[in-house]
Amino acid sequence: MFDAGLSVEEPVRGVVLLRIDRPQALNALTTASAHGMIELYTRLALRTDMRALILTGAGESAFSTGADLKERAGMDAMAARAQHMAHRLAFSIRRGFDFPVIAALNGIAHAGGAELALSSDLVLAVPHAGFALPEIRRGIMPGMGGTQALTAALGPRRAMELLLTGDALDAETALACGLVNRIVAPEALVSEALALAERIAEAPPLAVSAVTRAVRGAGQGGAEAGLALELALHQRLMASDDRLEGARAFAEKRRPVWKGE
């Protein structure tokens, strides 16, 4: 589908698998990759049948090491900023999805790759995966939400240390810190991610969308704002046909047929 270091599959209707396919460059993202993501994400955001996006990398070494610094080294400041803004636009579109994003880490997730994982809703990782935000060693800092996501996940002191040193977290530590949902064998990574996506796809789509939005909104604007968002989303579901179908299916001891209405 793309010639920008990306490959796309739809193994199950409504479940899209996006693979960063530049293993020779540790799946670093070029400007063309960012524009490919923008094109795909815009298309997915407009689909009403989407249920989950799985994001993974090619090969066994890296999920992604973020922006391609070899490409950036040949850019002037304006071109480098344009590259960054293309990546940031892709992130912004993805954060607006009404369906969850699953990151399947097949290797290290460094810099922008770590930010891709941190901004996902669910994360599976192989044992040799790891997180690092080493931008400070290159004279910069994360620019796609990494400081905020890491602080929310780990607390300010732990996040500050990792951001100021650029040190990495291994998969087991990331699991203990709550950055990873589970660790799986490399040969089972994609199948586990697909199985998780299929379970989500079987759930009522309106409720999946509401839960996704509520959890993403947690901590933004304080506890009262979060509770208000949850209540508003809950009340919309209470007025839905799917809520009635769920109750009827339970009473009739049958599988519900969700319509997303």
Side-chain angles (χ1 to χ4, degrees):
M1 180 178 179
F2 293 105
D3 58 358
L6 305 172
S7 64
V8 181
E9 306 169 38
E10 189 165 350
V12 178
R13 182 159 180 80
V15 176
V16 170
L17 172 64
L18 171 61
R19 193 185 306 272
I20 306 170
D21 197 2
R22 300 186 69 227
Q24 75 285 357
L26 297 178
N27 293 320
L29 297 165
T30 63
T31 304
S33 302
H35 285 292
M37 285 181 170
I38 292 169
E39 178 188 341
L40 174 66
Y41 290 171
T42 302
R43 199 176 306 166
L44 298 184
L46 296 174
R47 285 180 53 174
T48 58
D49 64 335
M50 277 298 299
R51 297 294 176 261
L53 170 67
I54 300 169
L55 182 60
T56 192
E60 300 178 354
S61 298
F63 169 70
S64 176
T65 53
D68 190 323
L69 296 185
K70 290 184 178 179
E71 178 189 53
R72 185 171 289 182
M75 296 176 171
D76 60 22
M78 183 173 293
R81 284 195 293 268
Q83 182 204 51
H84 174 75
M85 291 310 295
H87 285 115
R88 193 171 179 88
L89 177 57
F91 266 66
S92 298
I93 296 170
R94 200 182 76 166
R95 289 190 183 109
F97 287 163
D98 285 333
F99 49 87
V101 177
I102 302 169
L105 306 189
N106 56 299
I108 58 172
H110 287 185
E115 290 178 291
L116 277 176
L118 287 167
S119 65
S120 297
D121 302 296
L122 299 158
V123 181
L124 307 184
V126 298
H128 62 275
F131 286 85
L133 290 163
E135 285 88 343
I136 198 162
R137 298 176 182 176
R138 302 166 194 154
I140 54 173
M141 63 176 285
M144 292 185 286
T147 61
Q148 305 306 298
L150 200 65
T151 301
L154 304 181
R157 289 180 179 83
R158 188 69 185 276
M160 185 75 79
E161 180 180 351
L162 293 173
L163 290 164
L164 289 178
T165 62
D167 288 347
L169 293 177
D170 60 30
E172 289 289 348
T173 305
L175 178 65
C177 292
L179 295 178
V180 168
N181 290 81
R182 70 183 78 131
I183 296 175
V184 300
E187 64 273 14
L189 179 65
V190 172
S191 60
E192 287 264 0
L194 283 171
L196 180 57
E198 288 183 42
R199 288 188 64 191
I200 293 168
E202 291 173 358
L206 290 180
V208 169
S209 173
V211 168
T212 301
R213 290 180 59 193
V215 174
R216 287 178 185 162
Q220 297 181 10
E224 289 300 321
L227 289 170
L229 173 61
E230 180 186 279
L231 179 60
L233 293 167
H234 178 270
Q235 292 303 305
R236 291 179 190 175
L237 293 177
M238 289 296 289
S240 70
D241 291 342
D242 276 357
R243 195 271 305 173
L244 289 172
E245 170 61 10
R248 288 170 181 157
F250 178 81
E252 297 167 8
K253 298 181 180 180
R254 61 174 174 80
R255 289 176 62 88
V257 178
W258 308 118
K259 296 181 179 178
E261 299 174 355

